[in-house]
Amino acid sequence: MRPPGRVVFVVWTLCSAAAATAIEPISTSIAVGMAAALTGFLATYQNVLYYFHECCREEWISLNGSGLEADLEKKLFGQHVASKVILKAVTGFMENKNPKKPLVLSLHGWTGTGKNFISHLIAKNIYRNGMKSSFVHQFVATNHFPHPGEVQTYKAQLQQWIRGNVTSCPRSMFIFDEMDKMHPGLIDSIKPFLDYYEHLDGVSYHQAIFIFLSNAGGGKINEVALRFWDEGKERTDIQLKDLEISLSLDVFNNKNSGFWHTSLIDKNLVDFFIPLLPLEHKHVRMCVLAEMKERDLKPDETIANEIANEINYFPKEKEIFSVKGCKTIGGKLSYYT
Ligand SMILES: *[C@@H]1O[C@H](CO)[C@@H](O)[C@H](O)[C@H]1NC(C)=O
Ligand SMILES: *[C@@H]1O[C@H](CO)[C@@H](O)[C@H](O)[C@H]1NC(C)=O
């Protein structure tokens, strides 16, 4: 048997060979030389090797369409509009051998409605390592870009990161959380990457995926959901078109939504604005049950009901929608079990 350290080294060389071609001729020739010398070995042990070290290859990155569909159906609650759009958008993009631009999704909704969760489900069903993949990058505005005075530095840094990561793996995913707290100039700086350009300085971004998460527009979405409820209509009759236009206008015109009033919207660089509806009592209950299952607990309807009863709902006089969606149920469940 060969020592495992050596195997990992060989795989590293192999993974880097593809990436290096775009960067630097010298390291390329070295890598290619090494790879060539090892071809016999690699051919035999290829499948075993890929298993050990994540590579920017189909073995590690490919869409599990049925997995995504099942996850959206069974793990995400009360979001029929978002589920449908996401599945269609992601499947369509991943199956397209020659996309003309990267996939750009913008998810909007109140706290706890599932924005982060959805981005994790997408990552999980494309990257074998899910959110832990070295090809999935998450930026949280208040964490990565906290100081307004440093926007110029952040801009340069962000552009460099995106360019660097897409250069080493075209199928990279970038998640921007708390878009509403992000300096607008910052997001404008990544605009060229989202556009239809064939190449930018020799790099093509057409295989990349950008996901923006934001509370902006949440109020508008809640208004629509409440209107349906007031008119006695089914929640499931709400369609994307009921929300999409007012959503993008609202986000665009609202200066405090921070990120937009940028050229991303007027140039149609966002492929889909995806609204997340406020959650009702029954959805919170489903979240609790799902969380129990996740923790290997026996699903308990009584506890689920109690937890759902305990949290706050709005509007005050009707108490229909959970103020924090499913956000705090994890902690409450720990208290009960
Ligand atoms: C796709 O996802 C489903 C459900 O999560 C899983 O059972 C199946 O093994 C996955 N398929 C592949 C090829 O990973
Ligand atoms: C890729 O992005 C990460 C941030 O997620 C950054 O730390 C890293 O330097 C980037 N890689 C390259 C090659 O630019």
Side-chain angles (χ1 to χ4, degrees), residues 147-159:
H147 307 297
E150 311 248 331
V151 173
Q152 291 313 322
T153 316
Y154 295 151
K155 274 189 189 176
Q157 203 173 44
L158 190 56
Q159 288 186 332

Side-chain angles (χ1 to χ4, degrees), residues 218-239:
K220 263 280 182 292
I221 296 169
N222 293 352
E223 271 173 33
V224 174
L226 191 59
R227 198 184 71 222
F228 267 69
W229 193 89
D230 282 339
E231 291 171 359
K233 292 193 217 157
E234 290 290 333
R235 173 191 180 92
T236 46
D237 287 340
I238 301 177
Q239 292 178 20

Side-chain angles (χ1 to χ4, degrees), residues 72-260:
L72 289 169
E73 200 170 289
K74 298 209 186 88
K75 297 184 179 165
L76 181 71
F77 305 114
Q79 304 298 357
H80 66 282
V81 178
S83 282
K84 208 165 125 193
V85 180
I86 300 255
L87 185 63
K88 206 172 126 220
V90 173
T91 313
F93 179 72
M94 293 296 289
E95 283 173 357
N96 184 351
K97 289 270 176 289
N98 191 15
K100 295 285 176 281
K101 68 185 282 304
L103 177 64
V104 185
L105 305 176
S106 191
L107 276 57
H108 299 263
W110 226 236
T111 312
T113 48
K115 299 184 294 289
N116 259 295
F117 187 61
I118 290 175
S119 63
H120 293 193
L121 291 183
I122 296 174
K124 167 180 171 248
N125 285 289
I126 294 179
Y127 301 88
R128 221 162 85 190
N129 282 358
M131 289 302 290
K132 293 203 191 81
S133 166
S134 46
F135 309 123
V136 175
H137 308 275
Q138 183 161 25
F139 304 103
V140 182
T142 50
N143 181 34
H144 288 88
F145 318 111
H147 307 297
E150 311 248 331
V151 173
Q152 291 313 322
T153 316
Y154 295 151
K155 274 189 189 176
Q157 203 173 44
L158 190 56
Q159 288 186 332
Q160 199 185 339
W161 284 348
I162 294 179
R163 189 180 304 120
N165 282 298
V166 173
T167 302
S168 57
C169 187
R171 192 64 100 189
S172 289
M173 181 162 140
F174 302 93
I175 302 168
F176 293 83
D177 196 1
E178 301 183 341
M179 281 296 281
D180 37 325
K181 300 195 181 70
M182 183 128 28
H183 191 284
L186 191 52
I187 217 57
D188 263 339
S189 76
I190 69 164
K191 196 193 120 221
F193 304 133
L194 311 181
D195 215 326
Y196 290 82
Y197 302 116
E198 200 73 52
H199 285 102
L200 277 177
D201 300 327
V203 183
S204 167
Y205 296 85
H206 290 188
Q207 304 282 327
I209 300 172
F210 293 84
I211 301 180
F212 301 122
L213 312 179
S214 158
N215 290 346
K220 263 280 182 292
I221 296 169
N222 293 352
E223 271 173 33
V224 174
L226 191 59
R227 198 184 71 222
F228 267 69
W229 193 89
D230 282 339
E231 291 171 359
K233 292 193 217 157
E234 290 290 333
R235 173 191 180 92
T236 46
D237 287 340
I238 301 177
Q239 292 178 20
L240 183 61
K241 66 173 162 48
D242 295 315
L243 299 152
E244 202 176 26
I245 293 168
S246 65
L247 181 58
S248 79
L249 286 178
D250 183 53
V251 172
F252 189 37
N253 292 329
N254 179 358
K255 289 212 172 56
N256 294 328
S257 81
F259 63 129
W260 310 109

